[in-house]
Amino acid sequence: MQETSVSLLERIANDGRDDDWQRLIEIYRPFMYQRISSYPLLVSQSEDIVQEILCVLIREMPTFHRRREGSFRAFLRTIVLNQLRYAMRRTKGNPIAAGQFDRLNEHIEQLADPSSLESIEFDHQHDQAVFFHAASIVKSEVKPNTWKAFKKHAIEGQDASAVATQLGVTVNVVLLAKSRLTRRIREEIRGLVE
């Protein structure tokens, strides 16, 4: 069983091992790439921007200290915002971007306001990415039928008795799968989304 995310953040902040950094990159590279690619003017720069975000994250992680709920997500959002600002400055002189620049820049600047729709969407996408990564780890730790019971009941929202009938198990087995795997996923994402 892998250590929890809080442990991951603490290990990284205190000279984490290569596999700690690799795990952080596995979680965040796909999320960052999807996020940056959603800005039309920056699509061609997406990979470079993601690389810069990861470099800053690696450089700044030793100074990160979790102070409150959501502080890692806010820390990450600030790094993303700053890298997007740098990218927008590079794009400003591009004549193709001239008409779209101000609109996109305004859109990106909304990340500075935690209550803006852009920030709320960032947080939602972040939490989803972290959840799906944690779920893939937990899925690899359990039997396929246990995962099916959890997925159908906890993720898809199917009734426990219907899932039990589909899988040929008792309702109690379905409820236990939900409880056990929910707790395990929470352990994985602790500190990254809360």
Side-chain angles (χ1 to χ4, degrees):
M1 187 180 298
Q2 296 190 20
E3 293 185 49
T4 63
S5 296
V6 169
S7 299
L8 175 69
L9 294 177
E10 289 171 355
R11 287 192 317 269
I12 288 174
N14 297 314
D15 296 325
R17 301 181 317 252
D18 287 345
D19 58 329
D20 295 330
W21 286 108
Q22 184 59 40
R23 182 159 173 226
L24 192 74
I25 290 169
E26 285 172 6
I27 295 170
Y28 287 104
R29 179 180 285 283
F31 165 63
M32 290 297 131
Y33 188 80
Q34 176 190 11
R35 185 73 194 173
I36 304 305
S37 297
S38 72
Y39 299 113
L41 288 179
L42 303 177
V43 170
S44 64
Q45 299 179 53
S46 293
E47 191 56 47
D48 292 338
I49 297 169
V50 168
Q51 192 64 33
E52 288 300 317
I53 290 167
L54 291 172
C55 286
V56 172
L57 187 59
I58 288 168
R59 184 178 67 235
E60 297 297 323
M61 273 303 293
T63 66
F64 172 74
H65 298 288
R66 188 170 184 272
R67 290 178 173 53
R68 60 174 170 53
E69 185 174 304
S71 61
F72 181 74
R73 187 176 46 215
F75 173 73
L76 180 64
R77 190 174 57 239
T78 300
I79 292 171
V80 170
L81 174 61
N82 289 332
Q83 292 308 312
L84 288 172
R85 285 173 174 159
Y86 296 142
M88 289 301 289
R89 280 188 224 131
R90 289 190 301 266
T91 304
K92 193 174 186 175
N94 183 341
I96 297 170
Q100 302 171 19
F101 181 84
D102 290 337
R103 193 168 356 114
L104 181 58
N105 195 48
E106 188 176 300
H107 190 64
I108 288 170
E109 285 301 318
Q110 289 180 21
L111 283 175
D113 175 7
S115 62
S116 73
L117 289 176
E118 187 70 16
S119 288
I120 292 168
E121 181 64 19
F122 179 94
D123 291 352
H124 175 72
Q125 289 175 347
H126 168 273
D127 293 355
Q128 248 184 343
V130 172
F131 170 81
F132 284 118
H133 187 269
S136 72
I137 290 169
V138 172
K139 181 180 180 182
S140 71
E141 297 173 352
V142 299
K143 294 178 181 174
N145 232 25
T146 303
W147 179 257
K148 283 180 191 172
F150 169 77
K151 182 180 178 201
K152 288 177 177 291
H153 182 53
I155 297 175
E156 296 172 4
Q158 293 183 30
D159 181 68
S161 60
V163 173
T165 301
Q166 289 173 33
L167 299 177
V169 297
T170 66
V171 172
N172 194 44
V173 168
V174 174
L175 296 175
L176 284 172
K178 177 184 178 184
S179 175
R180 197 175 99 229
L181 274 59
T182 298
R183 182 175 52 251
R184 189 56 197 99
I185 288 171
R186 283 186 179 144
E187 287 173 1
E188 276 301 316
I189 64 178
R190 195 173 50 135
L192 296 176
V193 296
E194 51 184 40

